[in-house]
Amino acid sequence: MRVLRVSHSAVVDAWRERERELRALGHDVRTLSARAWDEGGRRVPLEPRPGEPVRGVRTFGTHPALFVYSPGPLWRALGERWDVLDVHEEPFALATAEVLVLRRLRALTGRRPAPPVVLYSAQNLDKRYPWPFRRLERRALRTAAGIHVCNDRAGQILRRKGAHGVVTTVPLGVNLADLHPGEPRSRAAGDPVRVGYAGRLAPHKGVTVLLEAVAGDDRLHLDVAGDGPDRAAVERAARGARVRLHGALSGPGLADFYRSLDVLAVPSLDTPGWVEQFGRVAVEAMACGVPVVASDSGALPDVVGGAGILVPPGDAAALRDALLRVGTEPGLARRLRTAGARRAASCSWAQVARQQDALYRAVVTGTASPAEGVVPPEVVVVAYGSPDLLRAALEPLAGTYLLTVVDNSSLPRVREITELAGGRYLDPGRNGGFAAGVNHALAHRQAPGADVLLLNPDAVVAPEDVLALQRALHAAPGTASVGPRQVDEHGVPARVAWPFPSPAGSWLEAVGLGRLRRTPAGRSFVVGSVLLLRAEALAEVGGLDERFFLYAEETDWAYRAVRAGWRHAVVDGVRATHVGGATSSDPAAREAFFHASQERYLRKHHGTAGWAVARGAVVAGSAVRALVLPGDRAREARRRLRLYLRGPVRAEAGTA
């Protein structure tokens, strides 16, 4: 794939690792950048490596949103054939508008169609820009086929503003070759806790809050690496024995600084015009094996949550207590180092490039790469409580696949387990049911062009079996979903392929001939407890129908896929364990939800008349069974009869 990237920040050699890793994946990536740019308070000239396909372009203006490029080099570059135009500038920026106008003019005056556009955003404050920037942003969002953001909040804002294309979170990368752990500092009882800060010395970074926190306890000693307008305040504090100022550090010197610490503090503050957009120093410290304590501010919860400790921004006492906990609580620093290493690995440039690759494939074809080299699936789990079951489901897949957990119960324990497994935690703020949870995950996909594995929190599947499922899925063109054979916790096989519900099928069940119903290969559906969905099918069929709160949502999706020409299959030889119903303790509520979903399905696909025929079958069959069957089976039939006489959807409303 030929990709043209336009990025003023690519003037920094380290920020071009994304392009290098993309080339390692087989892409032809060319970069246009600024000839020089102010980075971290110093003028950085573009210095390409030998043979590196990056070109410096003259720029006019110095603000990231208020500059433009010299148009000549852009015009000439856009005259070539590109599969993707990746503009690594904010959607509201003048440079973005300039590139998009030149792209459009090139398409009108040339013979090639304009390439699809990918944009970038880090803006996690919901700002209403003045004219003309508001108009430029709106047009850019409508033009972009894909947008990668470095924090979830930025993606939410862009979707609200009308982004039409794929929006996915791709972290800012770190070079793990340069950032690696050293030997953990050995501390004897009574030794000081060595706290570090790295970054700009400015009011919004919370340095004065950190100084107050350290001043409140003699056990805390502070090392500061950085420069900026708050330097004088740090120098005054450094006159005491417990604060040392090292100045701005970079490269190996910064890595050595991290490794000299017991804990890194990232005390950023919320301000009306700025909040932390990523927090790269937190990832760098984690990569060096250093625990992190950070403010619960901006994007820091995305980066640090579950792998470090979060404290309220501006709260010096809470910051002090957390720093002391890391330094003195037995085992805490070790646990945080382990979780931090996993988090840092997810931000490696290789991982960033894979996610960028998936985004490119999504905007160009709507699919992942075919056959060999298919992008690994993203695992989606919709959780409601039961954190121990969730841990058992995630542990086998942690570190192998991208994990996304939607927590309909908003439990801190679920978030902790998700993030310790290296997964992305999403809290929709409500329990909208399984279908709504899946759709929420699909709207926040980490790999938008990848297949999706739906995994119940009470199910366990091995990583090699997920790979076997994906191979089977892509070996058979036209297959929308595949699932494994399943057993319960005792090893008893469970049925996973079923015929679609229908009025005629309901009557066969009613007269005791349900076993005669056939499940034709490809035209039956596979239960959704462990179900791999093909990316192309998801793009064509769409998400799940959120009217199905619980049960039948995968049946409805599978039926819509079949009507669109897709098929479904069970993969023999692949096995998963599914406890079944383990996340719910109310059998009566489960039954009400199940039959209400059956009613919705039949009404949707067979109409009111079809539902009436099916309902009559269940009423008749239940009435006969209530009369002729003994004991518990008769009582069960009477419950079913009462449920269908009342109407399952109406009964479900009574249980809500």
Side-chain angles (χ1 to χ4, degrees), residues 10 113 156 214 311 325 486 525 613 617:
Q156 294 165 7
V214 169
V311 297
R325 278 189 62 203
Q486 292 187 16
F525 73 94
V613 171

Side-chain angles (χ1 to χ4, degrees), residues 406-430:
V406 179
D407 182 13
N408 283 344
S409 55
S410 303
L411 286 181
R413 182 67 174 146
V414 170
R415 178 170 191 153
E416 177 185 349
I417 287 170
T418 300
E419 294 178 337
L420 286 174
R424 171 188 285 182
Y425 174 86
L426 299 175
D427 182 357
R430 66 186 183 100

Side-chain angles (χ1 to χ4, degrees), residues 315-365:
D315 190 333
L319 178 59
R320 180 186 311 122
D321 291 344
L323 295 171
L324 287 170
R325 278 189 62 203
V326 175
T328 61
E329 185 176 311
L332 177 58
R334 176 181 52 79
R335 294 195 297 273
L336 293 178
R337 280 194 292 269
T338 300
R342 284 199 295 264
R343 181 60 48 78
S346 72
C347 297
S348 70
W349 282 116
Q351 288 284 2
V352 167
R354 280 193 281 271
Q355 294 184 52
Q356 198 82 18
D357 167 80
L359 176 60
Y360 289 162
R361 295 186 185 280
V363 302
V364 170
T365 67

Side-chain angles (χ1 to χ4, degrees), residues 97-265:
E98 177 192 18
V99 175
L100 295 184
V101 168
L102 292 174
R103 164 187 172 270
R104 179 63 176 161
L105 290 175
R106 260 301 187 187
L108 292 174
T109 60
R111 296 181 178 180
R112 295 189 182 96
V117 174
V118 169
L119 299 180
Y120 165 77
S121 181
Q123 182 53 262
N124 53 351
L125 284 177
D126 197 350
K127 295 183 176 181
R128 181 176 173 82
Y129 301 108
W131 191 92
F133 299 97
R134 183 166 65 249
R135 184 178 182 84
L136 297 177
E137 180 185 49
R138 186 183 305 118
R139 183 171 294 276
L141 294 180
R142 291 177 178 175
T143 301
I147 307 173
H148 56 102
V149 296
C150 65
N151 60 75
D152 288 345
R153 178 59 179 158
Q156 294 165 7
I157 291 170
L158 294 183
R159 291 186 189 94
R160 186 193 63 75
K161 288 185 172 182
H164 287 188
V166 175
V167 180
T168 186
T169 303
V170 178
L172 299 180
V174 295
N175 191 339
L176 298 185
D178 297 334
L179 300 166
H180 54 82
E183 287 296 323
R185 274 176 32 87
S186 58
R187 294 181 57 255
D191 283 354
V193 178
R194 184 67 63 189
V195 180
Y197 171 87
R200 187 162 171 75
L201 306 183
H204 60 279
K205 288 292 191 175
V207 184
T208 55
V209 177
L210 177 58
L211 290 170
E212 180 183 349
V214 169
D217 196 294
D218 290 344
R219 290 172 291 178
L220 298 176
H221 289 205
L222 177 62
D223 287 82
V224 177
D227 205 346
D230 274 2
R231 180 186 178 93
V234 178
E235 287 177 335
R236 286 193 298 271
R239 293 169 188 163
R242 293 190 294 111
V243 180
R244 291 189 299 176
L245 183 61
H246 297 260
L249 298 175
S250 62
L254 181 58
D256 290 340
F257 172 78
Y258 289 135
R259 287 188 283 265
S260 72
L261 306 174
D262 294 314
V263 56
L264 181 84

